[in-house]
Amino acid sequence: MEEIFQHFRKEEQQFIEQASGWLREVEDRYSPKLTDFLDPRQRFIVEAVMGSSDVKMMSSGTFKDAERQRVLLYPSYFEPQQEDFNTTVFELKYPSKFVNLRHPDILGSLMSLGLDRSKFGDIRIDNERVQLAVMNEISPYLQSNFVSAAKVKVQLNEVSDAVELIETSEEWTEESYTVSSMRLDTVMSSVYNISRQKASALIHGGKVKVNWTMQEQPSFELHESDMISSRGYGRVRLIMIEGRTKKDKVRLQVGRLEAKK
């Protein structure tokens, strides 16, 4: 375990221990283990924990290229099917002629029901159409209790045909930057072309996430492969640290996904 810990941040140790418990459960019981919805960083950690284990791993979020997916850990004899992921996709029926629901509207309404973020997957929006993936275990609860979003009445209709699922396409561009340090506020200042004061204000305001987790410390030290997302500024992935300049500045290669307007 200590060998794994040294490759990850201290705040990720609890999740590493949880993933290790899942692995032991599959090995001891010789039966599959299905997780809640995990973000890409969490799935990366699960793969690292598995190492050379005989346990196999498959993930699905039902949507094509889903960001949040349930992970199925299973012994070699087991042959997983899509049904094993126990996921339902609902489409929201609401008065779209009068209001356009946005991602924060849906997310806020779901969280207000007392649901943990891991209980539902991607929220997809295409013009007036809104769909969300949820665990089968909470589907009845949602159908009874998720009745409004942004003060608008909503109704959940199950999407049973895969061709009806909303598909999204993302375009990443690669760019190079030179930064004085790997502090979060310093890197944000460069890649978003804003002042460090503005970057710090965004961080302190709870508008910045690193690897899908809110980060409120401007001095937070970034690592290679980290994902930064800032509300209104889009997402940036630190693809590679290319080295240092003669003035000891860090050369970064980043991928940028522009904010949706």
Side-chain angles (χ1 to χ4, degrees):
M1 185 72 73
E2 291 300 325
E3 292 181 1
I4 297 175
F5 282 163
Q6 66 183 356
H7 296 292
F8 294 95
R9 294 186 173 95
K10 186 176 181 179
E11 58 266 29
E12 294 175 319
Q13 289 184 3
Q14 184 177 353
F15 182 77
I16 293 171
E17 291 173 348
Q18 184 179 23
S20 298
W22 295 335
L23 191 63
R24 286 193 302 272
E25 187 177 331
V26 176
E27 292 173 333
D28 293 345
R29 298 183 179 180
Y30 207 53
S31 61
K33 170 67 177 179
L34 181 64
T35 73
D36 291 354
F37 286 96
L38 306 182
D39 63 42
R41 178 68 176 181
Q42 291 171 320
R43 298 199 299 275
F44 175 74
I45 291 174
V46 173
E47 287 190 67
V49 169
M50 288 175 61
S52 57
S53 166
D54 290 335
V55 174
K56 298 182 181 296
M57 168 182 170
M58 185 177 290
S59 60
S60 170
T62 304
F63 291 114
K64 182 181 178 182
D65 300 323
E67 181 174 275
R68 293 179 178 271
Q69 303 181 20
R70 301 191 78 174
V71 168
L72 187 68
L73 300 174
Y74 58 96
S76 56
Y77 77 86
F78 188 80
E79 296 183 4
Q81 307 295 325
Q82 183 60 41
E83 295 76 24
D84 296 319
F85 290 96
N86 293 342
T87 302
T88 300
V89 172
F90 288 117
E91 182 153 343
L92 272 65
K93 182 180 179 182
Y94 68 100
S96 54
K97 289 183 179 180
F98 306 105
V99 65
N100 285 325
L101 290 177
R102 301 172 302 119
H103 192 282
D105 299 327
I106 309 302
L107 183 59
S109 298
L110 290 168
M111 300 294 277
S112 70
L113 295 176
L115 294 173
D116 187 85
R117 185 62 184 89
S118 64
K119 302 302 180 185
F120 50 96
D122 285 12
I123 299 169
R124 297 252 171 128
I125 299 178
D126 181 22
N127 294 319
E128 61 189 38
R129 294 181 67 205
V130 180
Q131 295 178 351
L132 67 149
V134 305
M135 296 167 50
N136 285 355
E137 296 90 320
I138 67 165
S139 293
Y141 176 80
L142 272 188
Q143 286 182 300
S144 299
N145 295 279
F146 185 27
V147 295
S148 67
K151 299 181 180 179
V152 175
K153 287 186 177 181
V154 300
Q155 181 179 330
L156 299 182
N157 295 327
E158 185 175 343
V159 180
S160 54
D161 192 340
V163 299
E164 296 296 322
L165 296 176
I166 295 174
E167 290 192 18
T168 59
S169 57
E170 296 182 340
E171 291 189 9
W172 291 81
T173 57
E174 292 191 10
E175 303 167 349
S176 295
Y177 292 89
T178 301
V179 296
S180 58
S181 78
M182 292 297 290
R183 282 174 54 115
L184 177 57
D185 58 351
T186 300
V187 173
M188 283 181 59
S189 175
S190 294
V191 300
Y192 291 135
N193 193 26
I194 57 178
S195 68
R196 277 185 61 180
Q197 289 78 8
K198 174 65 174 176
S200 293
L202 290 169
I203 296 165
H204 286 305
K207 297 181 178 179
V208 177
K209 292 183 178 181
V210 177
N211 297 331
W212 296 271
T213 300
M214 188 183 299
Q215 181 51 247
E216 296 180 307
Q217 295 297 324
S219 61
F220 183 80
E221 192 78 7
L222 293 168
H223 296 166
E224 199 170 77
S225 82
D226 280 346
M227 173 83 81
I228 308 169
S229 59
S230 181
R231 202 175 306 166
Y233 290 88
R235 293 184 177 183
V236 168
R237 179 184 286 115
L238 308 187
I239 299 172
M240 184 187 300
I241 297 175
E242 297 180 324
R244 291 185 174 269
T245 67
K246 291 181 179 179
K247 294 184 177 180
D248 204 34
K249 291 192 174 183
V250 183
R251 290 198 303 269
L252 280 179
Q253 184 180 354
V254 307
R256 180 190 298 276
L257 179 66
E258 294 298 337
K260 293 180 180 179
K261 301 299 184 184

